[in-house]
Amino acid sequence: MKRWFSKEKLLYPFYILTHPADGYYELRHRERGSVPIALIITALFSFCYSMNRIHASFIVNDVDPRSVDSMNELVGIMLLFFLFCIGNWSVTCLMGGEGRFKDIVTSVGYALLPLILTFVPATLISQFGAADEEAVYYLILVFGVAWTSILILMGIMIIHNYSLAKTLVTLLLTFCAMLIIIFIIMMLFDLLSQVYGFFRNVYIELQNRG
């Protein structure tokens, strides 16, 4: 447990926020990252996202709070998170990337920390801001998204030892790989459904004859 949740490991995501170049390099080459902490940050982001949809002021939020299912959103965000990591790993394996799967999971998970740090204050501010001050709310959210996007870009570039151009191409191919994985999974589910239906019909037919 101490290997994953030491004080140094717990504080390291905050170090990456301000020193992304050095932080991601040491994460890859000096094993300073923690996969469990990255997953916890991802789950916390899901919680903050759900709380924003539930508690943000009606001035900036047109979502019915009763329609928000935090557990479903957690499952969806975790699936999307792993889908991105698997897609990136599959692409970078073919493009000479140096990063391991756990490095991708850790770097992307750590990059979500700015979203937590901005969604919480934005949700609180929305409760006290006037109708003409909603720009502040959106400015905070855009800042968090931009910060996270930059961290993901730098993380992928540094852990795989890519140039900026190659990193951008890799990210584009990652999204293509994600679509391919979704398509394959849908095809497998459809195939399994058909196989199940066939054997079910055969079983029913044998039962009727018996």
Side-chain angles (χ1 to χ4, degrees):
M1 290 291 290
K2 187 176 181 180
R3 180 167 63 93
W4 292 327
F5 297 103
S6 65
K7 181 180 179 181
E8 180 185 1
K9 299 281 188 181
L10 291 171
L11 294 176
Y12 198 69
F14 295 93
Y15 175 78
I16 284 182
L17 294 185
T18 55
H19 304 82
D22 293 336
Y24 280 124
Y25 179 86
E26 293 184 9
L27 183 150
R28 170 64 183 91
H29 297 282
R30 299 182 183 175
E31 301 289 344
R32 298 190 65 179
S34 170
V35 172
I37 291 177
L39 297 179
I40 290 173
I41 291 174
T42 306
L44 286 176
F45 160 66
S46 175
F47 174 77
C48 293
Y49 174 74
S50 297
M51 291 303 100
N52 176 267
R53 283 162 51 82
I54 294 172
H55 296 293
S57 170
F58 69 91
I59 297 174
V60 295
N61 182 25
D62 57 359
V63 176
D64 183 358
R66 295 170 297 182
S67 67
V68 177
D69 189 327
S70 301
M71 187 55 64
N72 283 342
E73 291 185 344
L74 173 62
V75 173
I77 287 175
M78 295 303 293
L79 287 176
L80 188 61
F81 172 80
F82 278 109
L83 183 62
F84 176 85
C85 293
I86 293 171
N88 185 258
W89 177 73
S90 62
V91 169
T92 54
C93 280
L94 301 175
M95 297 183 65
E98 297 180 4
R100 300 159 296 184
F101 181 71
K102 73 171 188 176
D103 298 324
I104 299 172
V105 170
T106 307
S107 63
V108 175
Y110 285 6
L112 298 178
L113 184 57
L115 293 178
I116 299 174
L117 299 178
T118 51
F119 265 71
V120 173
T123 303
L124 295 175
I125 289 173
S126 72
Q127 294 293 330
F128 304 102
D132 57 350
E133 297 175 345
E134 60 182 273
V136 177
Y137 169 84
Y138 289 113
L139 182 62
I140 293 173
L141 293 185
V142 169
F143 176 74
V145 172
W147 195 357
T148 287
S149 300
I150 292 172
L151 288 178
I152 291 177
L153 178 65
M154 292 190 67
I156 297 300
M157 181 171 65
I158 292 170
I159 65 172
H160 291 301
N161 197 22
Y162 284 166
S163 64
L164 177 60
K166 191 171 183 179
T167 302
L168 293 174
V169 172
T170 299
L171 289 175
L172 178 62
L173 293 177
T174 296
F175 290 115
C176 293
M178 292 169 66
L179 294 176
I180 293 172
I181 292 171
I182 293 173
F183 176 75
I184 292 174
I185 291 175
M186 291 177 62
M187 291 289 291
L188 285 174
F189 271 110
D190 183 63
L191 177 62
L192 291 174
S193 177
Q194 292 185 33
V195 171
Y196 171 77
F198 171 76
F199 283 106
R200 182 173 180 274
N201 291 334
V202 170
Y203 176 77
I204 293 174
E205 183 67 26
L206 293 174
Q207 288 289 96
N208 291 336
R209 290 183 180 180

